[in-house]
Amino acid sequence: MNPLQLIAKYHPPGSARYRILVDHSTRVARKAVTVAKYIGLADAEVRFVEEAALLHDIGIHFTDAPELGCRGDLPYLAHGYMGRELLESEGLPRHALVCDRHIGVGLSPEDIDRQGLPLPHRDLRPVSREEQIVAYADLFFSKHPDRSHRERSPDQVRSSLARFGPDKVAVFELWHAGFRPG
């Protein structure tokens, strides 16, 4: 499976959306692979992490995010579960779960209810190490064209998560302690 070919199937190469998605996903994949190797995952799992990181945002085209070149009907948060549906239809169930569970440090059904989020009422928290690695790496990079080339610092990640509660920062701290090389 070639993740970039799959992305090109749903995002026209040469379009702004394609460039933004591939740039962001490549940065996330590089960081995720570094983490996967650092914690000693087997080569096959490192390859899976790389593929999943490249595909984690494939569902953005279903959303209304004009700054990303997306003209869909759904709110941006839907890109996770729509990516899951898309990758399940492509026969990639493990990759699909990464899409579904990569928003922030994850969302519980209680988070979805409390915040009134337009998401399926299910547990959307990363479960496997591979899911956690991709979600962790994603926290450091924006897709916004003005900010996409800068990696956020851990303090910037903490600050962005703090508005969702100390429990979200605590998850990041746990991941950061275990995933940070060097």
Side-chain angles (χ1 to χ4, degrees):
M1 187 267 297
N2 180 330
L4 295 178
Q5 284 180 340
L6 192 54
I7 289 170
K9 182 175 176 180
Y10 296 96
H11 302 271
S15 68
R17 183 175 81 212
Y18 178 87
R19 285 190 306 276
I20 290 166
L21 176 59
V22 170
D23 179 68
H24 168 74
S25 298
T26 300
R27 291 173 192 280
V28 171
R30 275 192 217 119
K31 187 167 190 79
V33 165
T34 298
V35 169
K37 288 179 178 180
Y38 170 74
I39 67 168
L41 292 186
D43 289 346
E45 292 308 305
V46 172
R47 276 192 304 281
F48 170 77
V49 164
E50 181 176 29
E51 292 170 359
L54 288 168
L55 295 172
H56 77 281
D57 280 335
I58 196 167
I60 63 170
H61 68 287
F62 294 106
T63 71
D64 181 24
E67 68 281 6
L68 303 178
C70 302
R71 308 246 185 269
D73 297 327
L74 298 173
Y76 184 72
L77 276 177
H79 79 278
Y81 74 83
M82 292 305 296
R84 176 186 180 166
E85 290 178 15
L86 188 153
L87 292 181
E88 284 176 339
S89 76
E90 293 284 346
L92 298 168
R94 281 184 70 207
H95 298 76
L97 289 175
V98 173
C99 286
D100 206 31
R101 299 173 177 166
H102 84 275
I103 307 295
V105 295
L107 296 162
S108 70
E110 296 77 24
D111 293 326
I112 294 166
D113 286 345
R114 186 177 61 256
Q115 297 176 49
L117 300 175
L119 296 170
H121 191 265
R122 63 177 177 244
D123 199 331
L124 299 175
R125 291 175 288 193
V127 176
S128 71
R129 285 185 303 173
E130 296 83 1
E131 293 167 3
Q132 292 170 358
I133 289 168
V134 174
Y136 172 78
D138 189 42
L139 292 169
F140 289 89
F141 300 98
S142 172
K143 275 182 286 309
H144 194 282
D146 294 340
R147 298 183 299 273
S148 66
H149 300 299
R150 293 187 305 254
E151 182 171 343
R152 293 180 183 129
S153 70
D155 283 339
Q156 289 171 317
V157 173
R158 286 181 193 98
S159 178
S160 70
L161 290 171
R163 62 190 165 142
F164 300 107
D167 57 321
K168 302 303 181 186
V169 177
V171 171
F172 172 76
E173 294 298 352
L174 182 66
W175 291 351
H176 193 57
F179 293 161
R180 178 181 39 167

